[in-house]
Amino acid sequence: MADRRGLKLLGFIFATVTIAVMFTTTMVVKGYADGAYSLEAEQLAIR
């Protein structure tokens, strides 16, 4: 059986990764909402 300290460390690692993913997702969604990103490919003008 795993010891409590090891499980707390593993839980902390999972919580940190989860928070990082949530933060990244929030920033990407906010970027799309603000118009910073676009799903449509833009045509570049060639001179």
Side-chain angles (χ1 to χ4, degrees):
M1 186 175 205
D3 61 338
R4 285 188 184 265
R5 198 163 80 195
L7 288 175
K8 284 182 183 180
L9 177 64
L10 187 63
F12 179 75
I13 291 170
F14 281 142
T16 304
V17 169
T18 301
I19 290 170
V21 168
M22 288 172 57
F23 178 73
T24 303
T25 303
T26 302
M27 295 308 292
V28 169
V29 169
K30 184 179 180 307
Y32 276 109
D34 290 343
Y37 306 117
S38 177
L39 292 175
E40 294 85 23
E42 296 182 15
Q43 296 282 335
L44 294 177
I46 300 175
R47 293 184 181 203

Short mmCIF file of all heavy atoms in Angstrom, two decimals:
data_model
loop_
_atom_site.label_atom_id
_atom_site.label_comp_id
_atom_site.label_asym_id
_atom_site.label_seq_id
_atom_site.Cartn_x
_atom_site.Cartn_y
_atom_site.Cartn_z
N MET A 1 0.84 -1.18 0.00
CA MET A 1 0.00 0.00 0.00
C MET A 1 0.89 1.25 0.00
O MET A 1 1.92 1.28 0.64
CB MET A 1 -0.90 -0.03 1.22
CG MET A 1 -1.91 1.05 1.26
SD MET A 1 -3.00 0.81 2.65
CE MET A 1 -4.40 1.67 2.05
N ALA A 2 0.45 2.26 -0.74
CA ALA A 2 1.24 3.49 -0.86
C ALA A 2 1.15 4.30 0.43
O ALA A 2 0.15 4.28 1.14
CB ALA A 2 0.74 4.31 -2.03
N ASP A 3 2.22 4.99 0.73
CA ASP A 3 2.20 5.84 1.92
C ASP A 3 1.51 7.17 1.63
O ASP A 3 1.38 7.59 0.50
CB ASP A 3 3.61 6.06 2.45
CG ASP A 3 4.51 6.76 1.45
OD1 ASP A 3 4.20 6.71 0.25
OD2 ASP A 3 5.51 7.36 1.87
N ARG A 4 1.07 7.83 2.69
CA ARG A 4 0.32 9.08 2.54
C ARG A 4 1.15 10.19 1.92
O ARG A 4 0.64 10.99 1.13
CB ARG A 4 -0.20 9.53 3.89
CG ARG A 4 -1.37 8.73 4.38
CD ARG A 4 -1.94 9.38 5.64
NE ARG A 4 -3.00 8.59 6.19
CZ ARG A 4 -4.28 8.80 5.92
NH1 ARG A 4 -4.62 9.77 5.11
NH2 ARG A 4 -5.20 8.05 6.46
N ARG A 5 2.41 10.26 2.25
CA ARG A 5 3.24 11.33 1.72
C ARG A 5 3.39 11.21 0.21
O ARG A 5 3.34 12.21 -0.51
CB ARG A 5 4.61 11.31 2.40
CG ARG A 5 5.35 12.62 2.22
CD ARG A 5 6.47 12.77 3.21
NE ARG A 5 7.62 11.99 2.73
CZ ARG A 5 8.65 11.67 3.47
NH1 ARG A 5 8.69 12.01 4.73
NH2 ARG A 5 9.65 10.98 2.96
N GLY A 6 3.57 10.00 -0.26
CA GLY A 6 3.67 9.78 -1.71
C GLY A 6 2.38 10.14 -2.42
O GLY A 6 2.40 10.72 -3.51
N LEU A 7 1.24 9.78 -1.82
CA LEU A 7 -0.04 10.10 -2.43
C LEU A 7 -0.30 11.61 -2.42
O LEU A 7 -0.89 12.15 -3.35
CB LEU A 7 -1.17 9.37 -1.70
CG LEU A 7 -1.23 7.86 -1.96
CD1 LEU A 7 -2.31 7.24 -1.09
CD2 LEU A 7 -1.48 7.56 -3.42
N LYS A 8 0.13 12.29 -1.37
CA LYS A 8 -0.02 13.75 -1.33
C LYS A 8 0.81 14.40 -2.42
O LYS A 8 0.37 15.35 -3.08
CB LYS A 8 0.37 14.29 0.04
CG LYS A 8 -0.66 14.05 1.10
CD LYS A 8 -0.23 14.66 2.42
CE LYS A 8 -1.22 14.36 3.52
NZ LYS A 8 -0.84 14.94 4.81
N LEU A 9 2.02 13.91 -2.62
CA LEU A 9 2.89 14.44 -3.67
C LEU A 9 2.27 14.21 -5.04
O LEU A 9 2.23 15.12 -5.88
CB LEU A 9 4.28 13.82 -3.59
CG LEU A 9 5.25 14.25 -4.69
CD1 LEU A 9 5.55 15.73 -4.57
CD2 LEU A 9 6.53 13.44 -4.61
N LEU A 10 1.77 13.01 -5.26
CA LEU A 10 1.14 12.69 -6.54
C LEU A 10 -0.10 13.56 -6.76
O LEU A 10 -0.34 14.07 -7.86
CB LEU A 10 0.76 11.21 -6.58
CG LEU A 10 0.25 10.67 -7.90
CD1 LEU A 10 1.33 10.78 -8.97
CD2 LEU A 10 -0.19 9.23 -7.75
N GLY A 11 -0.89 13.76 -5.72
CA GLY A 11 -2.06 14.62 -5.82
C GLY A 11 -1.68 16.05 -6.12
O GLY A 11 -2.34 16.73 -6.91
N PHE A 12 -0.60 16.53 -5.50
CA PHE A 12 -0.12 17.89 -5.77
C PHE A 12 0.32 18.03 -7.22
O PHE A 12 0.01 19.04 -7.87
CB PHE A 12 1.03 18.23 -4.82
CG PHE A 12 1.59 19.60 -5.04
CD1 PHE A 12 0.90 20.72 -4.60
CD2 PHE A 12 2.80 19.77 -5.69
CE1 PHE A 12 1.40 21.99 -4.81
CE2 PHE A 12 3.31 21.04 -5.91
CZ PHE A 12 2.61 22.15 -5.47
N ILE A 13 1.01 17.04 -7.74
CA ILE A 13 1.46 17.07 -9.14
C ILE A 13 0.26 17.10 -10.08
O ILE A 13 0.20 17.89 -11.02
CB ILE A 13 2.39 15.88 -9.44
CG1 ILE A 13 3.71 16.05 -8.69
CG2 ILE A 13 2.63 15.74 -10.94
CD1 ILE A 13 4.60 14.84 -8.73
N PHE A 14 -0.73 16.23 -9.84
CA PHE A 14 -1.92 16.20 -10.68
C PHE A 14 -2.70 17.51 -10.59
O PHE A 14 -3.21 18.01 -11.59
CB PHE A 14 -2.83 15.03 -10.31
CG PHE A 14 -2.37 13.71 -10.87
CD1 PHE A 14 -2.50 12.55 -10.12
CD2 PHE A 14 -1.80 13.62 -12.12
CE1 PHE A 14 -2.08 11.33 -10.61
CE2 PHE A 14 -1.37 12.40 -12.63
CZ PHE A 14 -1.51 11.26 -11.87
N ALA A 15 -2.79 18.08 -9.40
CA ALA A 15 -3.50 19.35 -9.22
C ALA A 15 -2.80 20.47 -9.97
O ALA A 15 -3.44 21.31 -10.60
CB ALA A 15 -3.63 19.68 -7.74
N THR A 16 -1.47 20.49 -9.91
CA THR A 16 -0.70 21.52 -10.61
C THR A 16 -0.89 21.42 -12.12
O THR A 16 -1.10 22.43 -12.80
CB THR A 16 0.79 21.39 -10.24
OG1 THR A 16 0.93 21.48 -8.82
CG2 THR A 16 1.61 22.48 -10.89
N VAL A 17 -0.84 20.22 -12.64
CA VAL A 17 -1.04 20.02 -14.08
C VAL A 17 -2.45 20.42 -14.47
O VAL A 17 -2.66 21.08 -15.50
CB VAL A 17 -0.73 18.56 -14.48
CG1 VAL A 17 -1.18 18.27 -15.90
CG2 VAL A 17 0.74 18.26 -14.31
N THR A 18 -3.43 20.05 -13.66
CA THR A 18 -4.82 20.40 -13.95
C THR A 18 -5.02 21.91 -13.98
O THR A 18 -5.66 22.45 -14.89
CB THR A 18 -5.77 19.77 -12.90
OG1 THR A 18 -5.60 18.36 -12.92
CG2 THR A 18 -7.21 20.12 -13.17
N ILE A 19 -4.46 22.62 -13.01
CA ILE A 19 -4.57 24.07 -12.97
C ILE A 19 -3.88 24.71 -14.17
O ILE A 19 -4.38 25.65 -14.77
CB ILE A 19 -4.04 24.61 -11.64
CG1 ILE A 19 -4.98 24.21 -10.51
CG2 ILE A 19 -3.86 26.12 -11.69
CD1 ILE A 19 -4.45 24.49 -9.13
N ALA A 20 -2.72 24.17 -14.56
CA ALA A 20 -2.01 24.70 -15.73
C ALA A 20 -2.83 24.52 -17.00
O ALA A 20 -2.91 25.44 -17.84
CB ALA A 20 -0.65 24.03 -15.86
N VAL A 21 -3.46 23.37 -17.17
CA VAL A 21 -4.29 23.11 -18.35
C VAL A 21 -5.51 24.03 -18.34
O VAL A 21 -5.88 24.59 -19.38
CB VAL A 21 -4.71 21.63 -18.41
CG1 VAL A 21 -5.80 21.40 -19.45
CG2 VAL A 21 -3.51 20.75 -18.70
N MET A 22 -6.14 24.21 -17.18
CA MET A 22 -7.30 25.10 -17.09
C MET A 22 -6.91 26.53 -17.42
O MET A 22 -7.65 27.24 -18.12
CB MET A 22 -7.91 25.02 -15.69
CG MET A 22 -8.64 23.72 -15.42
SD MET A 22 -9.15 23.53 -13.70
CE MET A 22 -10.14 24.98 -13.45
N PHE A 23 -5.76 26.99 -16.94
CA PHE A 23 -5.29 28.35 -17.22
C PHE A 23 -5.02 28.53 -18.72
O PHE A 23 -5.43 29.52 -19.32
CB PHE A 23 -4.04 28.65 -16.41
CG PHE A 23 -3.46 30.01 -16.67
CD1 PHE A 23 -4.09 31.15 -16.19
CD2 PHE A 23 -2.30 30.15 -17.41
CE1 PHE A 23 -3.57 32.40 -16.44
CE2 PHE A 23 -1.77 31.40 -17.67
CZ PHE A 23 -2.41 32.54 -17.18
N THR A 24 -4.35 27.56 -19.32
CA THR A 24 -4.04 27.63 -20.75
C THR A 24 -5.32 27.64 -21.58
O THR A 24 -5.46 28.44 -22.52
CB THR A 24 -3.16 26.44 -21.17
OG1 THR A 24 -1.98 26.46 -20.36
CG2 THR A 24 -2.79 26.51 -22.63
N THR A 25 -6.27 26.78 -21.22
CA THR A 25 -7.55 26.74 -21.94
C THR A 25 -8.28 28.07 -21.81
O THR A 25 -8.84 28.57 -22.79
CB THR A 25 -8.42 25.60 -21.38
OG1 THR A 25 -7.71 24.37 -21.49
CG2 THR A 25 -9.73 25.49 -22.13
N THR A 26 -8.27 28.64 -20.62
CA THR A 26 -8.93 29.93 -20.41
C THR A 26 -8.30 31.01 -21.27
O THR A 26 -9.01 31.82 -21.89
CB THR A 26 -8.84 30.33 -18.92
OG1 THR A 26 -9.45 29.31 -18.14
CG2 THR A 26 -9.53 31.65 -18.67
N MET A 27 -6.99 31.04 -21.36
CA MET A 27 -6.31 32.06 -22.16
C MET A 27 -6.60 31.88 -23.65
O MET A 27 -6.77 32.87 -24.37
CB MET A 27 -4.80 32.03 -21.89
CG MET A 27 -4.43 32.40 -20.46
SD MET A 27 -5.13 33.95 -19.90
CE MET A 27 -4.25 35.11 -20.91
N VAL A 28 -6.66 30.65 -24.13
CA VAL A 28 -6.95 30.41 -25.55
C VAL A 28 -8.38 30.82 -25.87
O VAL A 28 -8.64 31.48 -26.87
CB VAL A 28 -6.69 28.93 -25.91
CG1 VAL A 28 -7.24 28.60 -27.29
CG2 VAL A 28 -5.20 28.63 -25.86
N VAL A 29 -9.33 30.43 -25.01
CA VAL A 29 -10.73 30.79 -25.24
C VAL A 29 -10.89 32.31 -25.20
O VAL A 29 -11.61 32.89 -26.02
CB VAL A 29 -11.65 30.10 -24.21
CG1 VAL A 29 -13.05 30.67 -24.25
CG2 VAL A 29 -11.66 28.59 -24.46
N LYS A 30 -10.23 32.97 -24.26
CA LYS A 30 -10.29 34.43 -24.18
C LYS A 30 -9.70 35.05 -25.44
O LYS A 30 -10.22 36.03 -25.96
CB LYS A 30 -9.54 34.93 -22.95
CG LYS A 30 -9.63 36.41 -22.73
CD LYS A 30 -8.89 36.83 -21.48
CE LYS A 30 -8.97 38.31 -21.22
NZ LYS A 30 -8.58 39.15 -22.32
N GLY A 31 -8.62 34.48 -25.96
CA GLY A 31 -8.02 34.98 -27.19
C GLY A 31 -8.95 34.87 -28.38
O GLY A 31 -9.06 35.80 -29.19
N TYR A 32 -9.65 33.74 -28.48
CA TYR A 32 -10.62 33.58 -29.56
C TYR A 32 -11.78 34.57 -29.39
O TYR A 32 -12.25 35.16 -30.36
CB TYR A 32 -11.18 32.16 -29.61
CG TYR A 32 -10.29 31.20 -30.37
CD1 TYR A 32 -9.57 30.21 -29.72
CD2 TYR A 32 -10.18 31.28 -31.76
CE1 TYR A 32 -8.76 29.34 -30.41
CE2 TYR A 32 -9.37 30.42 -32.47
CZ TYR A 32 -8.67 29.44 -31.79
OH TYR A 32 -7.86 28.59 -32.48
N ALA A 33 -12.24 34.77 -28.16
CA ALA A 33 -13.35 35.68 -27.91
C ALA A 33 -12.97 37.13 -28.23
O ALA A 33 -13.79 37.90 -28.72
CB ALA A 33 -13.82 35.56 -26.46
N ASP A 34 -11.72 37.49 -27.95
CA ASP A 34 -11.25 38.86 -28.21
C ASP A 34 -10.89 39.07 -29.68
O ASP A 34 -10.63 40.19 -30.09
CB ASP A 34 -10.04 39.18 -27.34
CG ASP A 34 -10.40 39.32 -25.88
OD1 ASP A 34 -11.60 39.49 -25.57
OD2 ASP A 34 -9.49 39.25 -25.03
N GLY A 35 -10.82 38.01 -30.46
CA GLY A 35 -10.49 38.13 -31.87
C GLY A 35 -9.00 38.05 -32.16
O GLY A 35 -8.57 38.35 -33.27
N ALA A 36 -8.20 37.69 -31.18
CA ALA A 36 -6.76 37.61 -31.40
C ALA A 36 -6.40 36.42 -32.29
O ALA A 36 -5.43 36.46 -33.04
CB ALA A 36 -6.02 37.49 -30.06
N TYR A 37 -7.22 35.37 -32.21
CA TYR A 37 -7.00 34.17 -33.03
C TYR A 37 -8.18 34.03 -33.98
O TYR A 37 -9.27 34.52 -33.73
CB TYR A 37 -6.91 32.92 -32.17
CG TYR A 37 -5.88 32.98 -31.07
CD1 TYR A 37 -6.25 32.91 -29.73
CD2 TYR A 37 -4.53 33.10 -31.36
CE1 TYR A 37 -5.31 32.96 -28.73
CE2 TYR A 37 -3.58 33.16 -30.37
CZ TYR A 37 -3.97 33.08 -29.05
OH TYR A 37 -3.05 33.13 -28.06
N SER A 38 -7.96 33.32 -35.06
CA SER A 38 -9.02 33.09 -36.02
C SER A 38 -8.91 31.68 -36.56
O SER A 38 -7.81 31.19 -36.82
CB SER A 38 -8.92 34.10 -37.17
OG SER A 38 -9.91 33.82 -38.13
N LEU A 39 -10.05 31.02 -36.73
CA LEU A 39 -10.05 29.67 -37.27
C LEU A 39 -9.93 29.67 -38.79
O LEU A 39 -9.50 28.69 -39.38
CB LEU A 39 -11.33 28.93 -36.86
CG LEU A 39 -11.46 28.62 -35.38
CD1 LEU A 39 -12.83 28.00 -35.09
CD2 LEU A 39 -10.37 27.69 -34.92
N GLU A 40 -10.32 30.78 -39.41
CA GLU A 40 -10.25 30.87 -40.87
C GLU A 40 -8.82 31.24 -41.28
O GLU A 40 -8.19 32.10 -40.67
CB GLU A 40 -11.21 31.92 -41.40
CG GLU A 40 -12.68 31.59 -41.20
CD GLU A 40 -13.17 32.01 -39.83
OE1 GLU A 40 -12.54 32.91 -39.24
OE2 GLU A 40 -14.16 31.44 -39.37
N ALA A 41 -8.35 30.61 -42.33
CA ALA A 41 -7.03 30.93 -42.85
C ALA A 41 -7.11 32.23 -43.64
O ALA A 41 -7.98 32.39 -44.50
CB ALA A 41 -6.51 29.81 -43.72
N GLU A 42 -6.22 33.15 -43.37
CA GLU A 42 -6.22 34.41 -44.07
C GLU A 42 -5.32 34.33 -45.30
O GLU A 42 -4.24 33.73 -45.25
CB GLU A 42 -5.74 35.54 -43.14
CG GLU A 42 -6.67 35.78 -41.98
CD GLU A 42 -6.18 36.92 -41.11
OE1 GLU A 42 -5.31 37.69 -41.56
OE2 GLU A 42 -6.67 37.02 -39.99
N GLN A 43 -5.75 34.95 -46.37
CA GLN A 43 -4.96 34.97 -47.60
C GLN A 43 -3.92 36.08 -47.47
O GLN A 43 -4.25 37.21 -47.12
CB GLN A 43 -5.86 35.24 -48.80
CG GLN A 43 -6.88 34.15 -49.05
CD GLN A 43 -6.26 32.95 -49.74
OE1 GLN A 43 -5.25 33.08 -50.42
NE2 GLN A 43 -6.84 31.79 -49.52
N LEU A 44 -2.69 35.77 -47.78
CA LEU A 44 -1.63 36.77 -47.77
C LEU A 44 -1.51 37.37 -49.18
O LEU A 44 -1.53 36.66 -50.17
CB LEU A 44 -0.30 36.15 -47.36
CG LEU A 44 -0.21 35.64 -45.93
CD1 LEU A 44 1.15 35.00 -45.70
CD2 LEU A 44 -0.41 36.78 -44.94
N ALA A 45 -1.42 38.67 -49.23
CA ALA A 45 -1.28 39.35 -50.51
C ALA A 45 0.17 39.20 -50.99
O ALA A 45 1.12 39.49 -50.28
CB ALA A 45 -1.62 40.83 -50.37
N ILE A 46 0.33 38.71 -52.22
CA ILE A 46 1.65 38.54 -52.80
C ILE A 46 1.84 39.65 -53.83
O ILE A 46 1.05 39.81 -54.75
CB ILE A 46 1.80 37.15 -53.47
CG1 ILE A 46 1.58 36.07 -52.43
CG2 ILE A 46 3.16 37.03 -54.14
CD1 ILE A 46 1.57 34.68 -52.99
N ARG A 47 2.91 40.41 -53.65
CA ARG A 47 3.16 41.53 -54.57
C ARG A 47 4.11 41.13 -55.64
O ARG A 47 5.03 40.47 -55.55
CB ARG A 47 3.72 42.72 -53.81
CG ARG A 47 2.69 43.28 -52.89
CD ARG A 47 3.23 44.51 -52.23
NE ARG A 47 2.23 45.02 -51.32
CZ ARG A 47 2.18 46.25 -50.92
NH1 ARG A 47 3.07 47.11 -51.34
NH2 ARG A 47 1.26 46.65 -50.12
#
